[in-house]
Every structure is written in structure tokens, then in C-alpha cells.
Amino acid sequence: PGLPAAFRGARCAASEVSPGMHQTPIVDQLWAKRARAVGGDYRPGASSPSKPRTLTPKPPEASAQTIEYAFSDPSNKALVDKYRNPWGHVRPGRLFEDLDALAGTIAFEHCRSGDPQEKLLHIVTASVDRLKYMHRPDLENNLVLTGAVTWVGRSSMEISMRAQDTSWGGEPFMESLFTFVARDPETGRAAQINPLEVSGEEQTALFELGRKRAEARKAALTQKRKSGLHIEDETHRIAQELLSASQPLVRMPALAPENDVLLAETRMQNVFLTMPQQRNTAGRIFGGFLMRRAYELARSTAHLFGGRRPIFHELDEVTFRAPVSVGDMVKFESCVLYTSEQMDPQGRATIHTEVKAFILRPETREAVISNTFNFTFGVAVNEDGSGGSAMGGEVQLRRVLPENMLEACRIVERYLSDKQQVEED
């Protein structure tokens, strides 16, 4: 079959075929919308603009987007099947891809000018601050994804996303925050974007929250650069306690408590070659694809650790450090950092996993870290995988212990960060 009408004449960095055709129907729809908005060629810097960019304040509603999944429509069986997991629920990984594409489309709409002679900026996902699941949606009811810009700085913006199950009376089952940065396609430097024009108490309050989060991120980055390899006193103290607790397991494993396990024993990994079918509209590997692959490995890690079907709770602190290109060899490494019966506000037992993505370059013997993902899972209350997340005390999860100071600090830093997030909530 030929290309959809929206893509005829569209070009991408890798071939004459639209990259959206290889993604979910929602991603395909969103990327087609971008192509139509710029006359077919949606690559930043693809045209030769004759005019410099002008900045135009835009209200959030000017770029807000809504997507509906009509799962209840009997004619949409193919759509339902694309999002079905083996147990009849919606695949979170597929929603991650759609959320990233929808947030990217919102960022694109906010940054672009109505003048076709002005060049397009390169919009990059900088981070996903938090993606929280409140309950598992099913495939019998329609789902709605919505998003809008809530804060804009000089070259970065925060986009608030939510997903709703129409059977839950409008209450969201998932919420997330995406941060994007704009780059000049010719120089690669940060590019100034359209200011956000807010009105009313709600928009003003959301803008202020976004500003505070941006300031906190900058302060944390500055502190990290200043401290270098220095370990904070509290982190060092707790890490030393963990190392002391791990000594029986390291030195006298036959006498160690049965419930203890070394972090190294929870590790899993996979390596794959990125393909042209996984590219985005800029010709790089689609960030949503990387999020989905990381989730699938993290889920398997939690399943093999807990012995029961894991239930996704949260994705937190995704950082995009280096872009992944078509043809790159990518290695995902996962592990369980810690388990808890107190961290979850509802008192559910939780497994906290970390996934790191590396770009491997065998010719130069280099491994460049691209992404870090932190996932939180619950475990099914019943051994057959049915029911909701088990409460603390209903299941016994093993205690994860470090073998060295580096592992100990990784555990403690993640634990303290999660604890701070719970306190802020």
C-alpha cells in the first residue's frame, strides 16, 4: 500500500518513508499532523528560511492536544490488539510511546511560527520528571490523552500530560511531566522559544510550580557539579550501614539471612542494534521507543525478583543525556535497587528498579550513557497474578544489599530521592 495522503511528499533523514508508519497508530497520527503543519517536510532545518525567527507569546490552549482511543468501538479491534498485553490490560510501554509523541507535538506547536519562511527548531526531550499510574486501565473503555504547556523558560518548557479512562468519571489514571529544550538546527545551541501567555488562577499556579521545579533542577545540577565525587554526610552514613549489613552475605554467605540478596544478583541486560524503523521525525531514535524497551526490561527484572507478576506504579527521573542514532548498538542494564513496605503512600509493597542505557562503540572501545530510567512496581496480591498490588505484609520481598560503596550510594541516593518526592506529594 502507498503512503497515507498526509505523508505523500514527506521526507525524513533515513528514507522516503514516514517514520510514523512503523509506530503506534497514535504516534503515526501525531507525526502526520506535524508534517501537514509544515507542508510535508517536518525535519528541523530542512528548508532554507529567508526570515529570522520572531517570538510570539502563546497561551497554553494554542498548543494543547487531545487524543482519544476508541477501544469500545467494535470496528477498532485492530487498535485494541495493538495495545493489549497477555492479561488483557493496556500495555504501559505503548502508552509511553504515545505520551512522548503527544508531548513532542505540543512542544512543536508551541515553538513553531505561522510563517512558513521561518526555520523550525530542533525540539529535544530533556527529561520525564515523573510518570505516575493511579490504576490499571482496561481495553473495554475509551482512553483519552491530553497535554498542555504549563511553564516556559528561555529555551525550555514543561508539559503536563494526563490519561483518563472514560469509565472513571474523568479521574486520570496516569499523570506525567515532560521537559523539552529547543535547539537551533544549524548551530546546535539553545534557542529562545515563544513565551507562555498565562491567564487565570489555575494557569498562573501551574506556571509558578513549573518555574520552581526548573529552579530546583538547576540548583541540583549546580550542586552536583560543585560536589563532584563528594558524598553527602547522610548518604555516606546510610551507605556505610548498608555495607555493614551486607558483610555476612559477602563474607559468609552460608550464614547470611535468607531474605538478603546482593544487588549484583538482580541484574539483567540486553543489547540490540537500532533500526531505521525506530527513528523519529528528526531521524534520531524515538525516545518513546527507548522508554518502552527500558520498561519491558525493568518489568522482567521485577518479575524475576519478586516471583509474582509486577504491577507498574511509577516512572521517575528519566534523563536523556545523549541522543541515540540509527545504527547505534544500545545496551540496557537493569537491577533492583531496593524494596520497601513504607515508601508507597498507600502502604503497598514496592520494588524499585533502575535501567541504564549505553551506546556501545566497539571500534573505539567506548560506552556512552544515553539514558537513566527509574521504575517502581508493586506485586500482584495473588500468586496467579490477579488482584491489585499487594500491601506491605501481604508479601515478603527480599532486602537488596550492596557489595561496594558505589552500589551503596546508588541505593541510598535513589531511596532519598523517592522519599523526598513522597514528602512533597
Side-chain angles (χ1 to χ4, degrees):
L3 287 174
F7 278 116
R8 288 173 191 153
R11 302 192 305 276
C12 69
S15 72
E16 295 299 320
V17 178
S18 159
M21 296 183 68
H22 303 293
Q23 311 298 333
T24 70
I26 300 300
V27 174
D28 191 15
Q29 177 184 341
L30 290 167
W31 288 356
K33 187 174 183 178
R34 292 194 213 178
R36 290 194 297 271
V38 293
D41 196 337
Y42 39 60
R43 287 177 297 152
S47 60
S48 299
S50 57
K51 296 172 62 178
R53 293 182 66 252
T54 56
L55 299 179
T56 305
K58 290 186 177 183
E61 51 268 24
S63 56
Q65 303 283 328
T66 298
I67 289 290
E68 182 174 2
Y69 302 76
F71 289 148
S72 63
D73 187 340
S75 66
N76 281 338
K77 291 182 179 179
L79 176 69
V80 171
D81 203 51
K82 283 185 178 292
Y83 289 85
R84 186 194 307 277
N85 73 9
W87 303 282
H89 297 292
V90 177
R91 294 174 60 184
R94 284 299 189 194
L95 291 183
F96 296 166
E97 293 178 314
D98 294 350
L99 279 170
D100 190 41
L102 182 58
T105 298
I106 294 168
F108 170 84
E109 286 293 333
H110 180 79
C111 292
R112 81 181 182 93
S113 166
D115 189 341
Q117 294 300 314
E118 294 186 10
K119 66 181 177 182
L120 298 173
L121 296 178
H122 188 191
I123 309 299
V124 181
T125 308
S127 68
V128 180
D129 291 341
R130 202 174 188 195
L131 196 158
K132 190 175 181 180
Y133 239 43
M134 274 67 85
H135 70 267
R136 288 188 294 182
D138 59 42
L139 289 162
E140 297 178 357
N141 303 298
N142 294 347
L143 303 184
V144 178
L145 297 187
T146 59
V149 181
T150 51
W151 171 83
V152 169
R154 186 182 185 279
S155 60
S156 61
M157 71 194 89
E158 182 180 270
I159 298 174
S160 177
M161 310 290 295
R162 61 166 36 191
Q164 296 169 281
D165 181 333
T166 55
S167 67
W168 281 68
E171 287 296 318
F173 69 84
M174 181 167 62
E175 294 179 328
S176 61
L177 291 169
F178 283 73
T179 301
F180 286 83
V181 295
R183 304 287 185 192
D184 185 292
E186 297 173 359
T187 66
R189 295 178 179 177
Q192 192 169 357
I193 59 178
N194 295 323
L196 188 66
E197 188 176 71
V198 297
S199 61
E201 292 183 5
E202 182 179 2
Q203 289 184 3
T204 301
L206 290 173
F207 186 92
E208 184 63 17
L209 286 173
R211 183 187 64 79
K212 289 180 179 179
R213 281 189 288 263
E215 289 179 352
R217 283 193 296 269
K218 288 181 180 178
L221 183 60
T222 300
Q223 179 61 34
K224 187 175 181 180
R225 287 172 176 169
K226 286 182 178 179
S227 61
L229 297 177
H230 174 70
I231 302 174
E232 297 294 331
D233 291 341
E234 184 181 11
T235 300
H236 187 269
R237 178 184 61 78
I238 302 175
Q240 286 286 11
E241 291 176 359
L242 285 176
L243 279 176
S244 297
S246 70
Q247 288 311 296
L249 197 57
V250 174
R251 309 297 179 191
M252 300 169 285
L255 300 176
E258 293 182 359
N259 195 49
D260 291 348
V261 61
L262 290 175
L263 182 148
E265 296 179 14
T266 73
R267 288 193 178 116
M268 295 186 67
Q269 63 181 29
N270 60 39
V271 180
F272 60 92
L273 188 67
T274 57
M275 297 294 170
Q277 295 80 11
Q278 295 148 3
R279 71 191 184 277
N280 59 19
T281 57
R284 301 282 193 177
I285 295 302
F286 178 34
F289 165 77
L290 296 173
M291 290 170 64
R292 175 172 65 81
R293 288 296 299 259
Y295 163 79
E296 290 169 352
L297 180 61
R299 188 193 180 284
S300 297
T301 303
H303 201 170
L304 288 171
F305 176 86
R308 294 191 187 188
R309 191 181 304 163
I311 298 174
F312 173 68
H313 286 185
E314 188 173 315
L315 168 62
D316 194 22
E317 280 199 77
V318 181
T319 55
F320 293 82
R321 302 184 185 182
V324 181
S325 301
V326 173
D328 279 346
M329 186 182 297
V330 178
K331 181 180 184 180
F332 278 148
E333 297 178 353
S334 68
C335 68
V336 176
L337 288 180
Y338 73 94
T339 62
S340 177
E341 295 183 356
Q342 292 85 34
M343 187 62 72
D344 183 74
Q346 301 177 38
R348 298 172 295 185
T350 51
I351 300 173
H352 300 257
T353 64
E354 178 190 72
V355 179
K356 289 184 179 290
F358 295 88
I359 302 169
L360 305 183
R361 296 168 180 159
E363 292 78 8
T364 57
R365 278 61 169 174
E366 290 180 291
V368 178
I369 188 165
S370 172
N371 311 83
T372 302
F373 307 84
N374 291 281
F375 295 89
T376 301
F377 294 92
V379 291
V381 66
N382 299 315
E383 291 187 3
D384 63 359
S386 62
S389 291
M391 303 299 289
E394 292 181 334
V395 294
Q396 186 177 30
L397 296 175
R398 303 179 73 181
R399 180 174 63 161
V400 180
L401 293 171
E403 203 167 358
N404 52 58
M405 180 57 76
L406 180 60
E407 291 180 353
C409 289
R410 284 171 62 193
I411 293 172
V412 175
E413 288 172 357
R414 183 74 250 149
Y415 176 84
L416 294 177
S417 178
D418 289 343
K419 184 179 178 182
Q420 181 181 359
Q421 185 68 66
V422 170
E423 292 171 352
E424 290 175 357
D425 289 346

